Amino acid sequence: MKKSAAIFAFFLVSGSAYAVVPTPTLPAPPPMPAPQIGGVKAAVLLDVNTDQILLDQNGNTSYDPSGLVKLMTAYLLYQAEAQKMVQPDERISVSVDAWHAPGSRMFIQPGLPVTVDQLTHGLLIDGGNDAAIAIAQAVAGSVGGFVDLMNREAVGMGLRQTHFVNPDGMPTPGQRSTAVDMARLARALLVKFPQVAKIAGQASYQYNHITQYNYNPLAGQKDITGLGVGLASADNWDLAVSASKDGRGLVAVILGASSRAVAGTDASAMLHYGFHGWQERQVYPAGAIVAQLKRVDWSPETLSMITPKAIQVVVPKPSQGKVESRFVADPTLQAPLKANTQVGTLDLLWNGKVLKSEPVLAKNAVAKAGWFSRLWHRVRGSL
């Protein structure tokens, strides 16, 4: 994308001057239509790199996420490994509760050797409920303690409509989430622990001479990297599919499909739409000045705002319209301010719709101006 010349538009607001750098204009043909998703309760498509939601059908309505709760189980397991609480080659003692876990299983049992790595495969490939219970007990000492960790982590991730009751996803009153929350959870898992994709996308694995197959109907296909399947009832399938192509990542979440095949077909259509109907654009490089704020009672008078990292968005292709930026200052902003302090957010808009918001930092420090500096700023401003 060609860089346009910096043009500053100034707006006087209660003694302050905002200078917003406009972002480039993008080309114009009509976008690809979104796929028609039918026979499901909710569907969400999320772009991993930008955290943008590209398709949302009842995405904020609460449902039973069933086996998709294992995404949080996997997240906490990888976190425990990173913190050296457990090791992949560590042997785990299997409890009677894990052995007798109902539903999908990898067939672990007391006295039969099983490692954390094997449990990870059993959890992510065939959705083993016995693996989920064994992992919970190994990480937190008890299932109840592990569920507390799950809910604490959900709060930290901002999954406001999610509440966990167990680590395996067996239908239980009070367990709820949304397609948007599950997509955000899947993204967090992929971004923080990308090694999950090496396991979750496998079509099968073997433990104790038993071959187990992935319930994900898209597993083993080109570009598919995971992630999970759940069955809330006989005709109530949940599916989270991740895929990676040409440096982009997508997560498609389906809740309440009438069958596993329907969930797979809809998720495949969503992924095709995401890869072929949208394109990534860098709007600002890291460290770009995106706005300026002037106050006569500051020294120096001008505070420049920068992006702490490169900002990308995805836009429809072929695209029409333009990406616009809108700086929103922190309402409590006042001197003194240190450099690299967050001073507000930058909204990126497409045809008037906010695509995403990013933090904006102070490039320079400012202090309270003395009486002479304030006088000089006023005199210079009147010239």
Side-chain angles (χ1 to χ4, degrees), residues 26 44 78 81 105 109 114 172 178 229 257 283 311 329 332 341:
L26 298 173
V44 163
Y78 281 121
E81 289 182 6
R105 293 184 293 160
Q109 55 185 283
V114 65
T172 307
T178 66
V229 180
V283 183
I311 297 179
T332 64
T341 301

Side-chain angles (χ1 to χ4, degrees), residues 166-181:
N166 58 48
D168 54 17
M170 288 299 292
T172 307
Q175 189 144 264
R176 65 183 186 278
S177 189
T178 66
V180 167
D181 276 5

Side-chain angles (χ1 to χ4, degrees), residues 195-213:
Q195 63 267 38
V196 67
K198 296 180 180 179
I199 298 176
Q202 295 179 25
S204 65
Y205 82 108
Q206 189 176 85
Y207 169 73
N208 192 29
H209 309 295
I210 301 173
T211 300
Q212 303 280 2
Y213 294 94

Side-chain angles (χ1 to χ4, degrees), residues 159-246:
L159 310 182
R160 296 183 180 86
Q161 299 189 70
T162 295
H163 181 74
F164 298 110
V165 177
N166 58 48
D168 54 17
M170 288 299 292
T172 307
Q175 189 144 264
R176 65 183 186 278
S177 189
T178 66
V180 167
D181 276 5
M182 285 292 103
R184 301 279 191 213
L185 171 56
R187 178 182 182 270
L189 177 59
L190 289 162
V191 170
K192 190 166 185 180
F193 305 111
Q195 63 267 38
V196 67
K198 296 180 180 179
I199 298 176
Q202 295 179 25
S204 65
Y205 82 108
Q206 189 176 85
Y207 169 73
N208 192 29
H209 309 295
I210 301 173
T211 300
Q212 303 280 2
Y213 294 94
N214 201 321
Y215 281 101
N216 180 347
L218 304 185
Q221 295 184 18
K222 184 181 178 182
D223 304 326
I224 300 299
T225 58
L227 272 171
V229 180
L231 181 60
S233 62
D235 56 352
N236 218 342
W237 287 84
D238 301 328
L239 176 64
V241 180
S242 59
S244 180
K245 183 177 182 180
D246 299 329

Side-chain angles (χ1 to χ4, degrees), residues 4-362:
S4 57
I7 303 173
F8 292 86
F10 288 89
F11 304 92
L12 293 178
V13 181
S14 60
S16 301
Y18 292 88
V20 180
V21 184
T23 51
T25 300
L26 298 173
M32 174 187 289
Q36 298 298 310
I37 307 300
V40 306
K41 292 180 177 178
V44 163
L45 178 65
L46 181 140
D47 182 85
V48 173
N49 292 352
T50 64
D51 197 25
Q52 285 176 237
I53 293 177
L54 311 184
L55 183 151
D56 183 345
Q57 182 174 308
N58 299 326
N60 287 301
T61 303
S62 292
Y63 297 106
D64 179 359
S66 61
L68 298 191
V69 305
K70 295 187 181 81
L71 299 179
M72 181 61 84
T73 303
Y75 184 94
L76 291 176
L77 173 60
Y78 281 121
Q79 184 170 265
E81 289 182 6
Q83 296 170 351
K84 307 300 182 183
M85 295 171 59
V86 295
Q87 299 296 326
D89 59 354
E90 179 181 341
R91 286 193 176 187
I92 299 300
S93 178
V94 177
S95 69
V96 173
D97 286 344
W99 180 28
H100 292 305
S104 177
R105 293 184 293 160
M106 64 176 289
F107 301 107
I108 56 176
Q109 55 185 283
L112 188 66
V114 65
T115 65
V116 170
D117 182 66
Q118 288 172 322
L119 289 173
T120 306
H121 281 72
L123 178 79
L124 292 170
I125 295 176
D126 82 322
N129 293 338
D130 50 357
I133 298 299
I135 288 169
Q137 293 172 334
V139 171
S142 68
V143 170
F146 190 80
V147 171
D148 287 343
L149 293 178
M150 295 173 75
N151 285 312
R152 188 181 309 169
E153 200 65 45
V155 171
M157 290 182 184
L159 310 182
R160 296 183 180 86
Q161 299 189 70
T162 295
H163 181 74
F164 298 110
V165 177
N166 58 48
D168 54 17
M170 288 299 292
T172 307
Q175 189 144 264
R176 65 183 186 278
S177 189
T178 66
V180 167
D181 276 5
M182 285 292 103
R184 301 279 191 213
L185 171 56
R187 178 182 182 270
L189 177 59
L190 289 162
V191 170
K192 190 166 185 180
F193 305 111
Q195 63 267 38
V196 67
K198 296 180 180 179
I199 298 176
Q202 295 179 25
S204 65
Y205 82 108
Q206 189 176 85
Y207 169 73
N208 192 29
H209 309 295
I210 301 173
T211 300
Q212 303 280 2
Y213 294 94
N214 201 321
Y215 281 101
N216 180 347
L218 304 185
Q221 295 184 18
K222 184 181 178 182
D223 304 326
I224 300 299
T225 58
L227 272 171
V229 180
L231 181 60
S233 62
D235 56 352
N236 218 342
W237 287 84
D238 301 328
L239 176 64
V241 180
S242 59
S244 180
K245 183 177 182 180
D246 299 329
R248 290 185 59 205
L250 295 174
V251 171
V253 173
I254 299 286
L255 297 182
S258 57
S259 70
R260 190 165 67 100
V262 167
T265 298
D266 285 343
S268 182
M270 291 164 65
L271 293 173
H272 183 272
Y273 168 66
F275 284 126
H276 296 280
W278 294 75
Q279 58 190 339
E280 187 172 297
R281 287 286 182 266
Q282 179 171 296
V283 183
Y284 291 110
I289 297 176
V290 294
Q292 291 184 321
L293 178 60
K294 290 187 176 182
R295 292 183 60 123
V296 296
D297 57 344
W298 284 359
S299 180
E301 182 183 19
T302 301
L303 174 65
S304 296
M305 288 75 157
I306 60 173
T307 58
K309 61 180 181 179
I311 297 179
Q312 289 94 10
V313 296
V314 286
V315 295
K317 69 175 184 181
S319 55
Q320 58 184 6
K322 64 179 180 178
V323 177
E324 298 175 334
S325 61
R326 178 178 63 200
F327 171 67
V328 181
D330 184 333
T332 64
L333 198 62
Q334 59 182 353
L337 286 169
K338 295 180 179 179
N340 295 319
T341 301
Q342 183 170 342
V343 292
T345 57
L346 190 72
D347 292 341
L348 283 304
L349 302 94
W350 175 262
N351 292 334
K353 179 182 178 181
V354 176
L355 296 175
K356 62 186 301 189
S357 296
E358 292 284 351
V360 173
L361 307 183

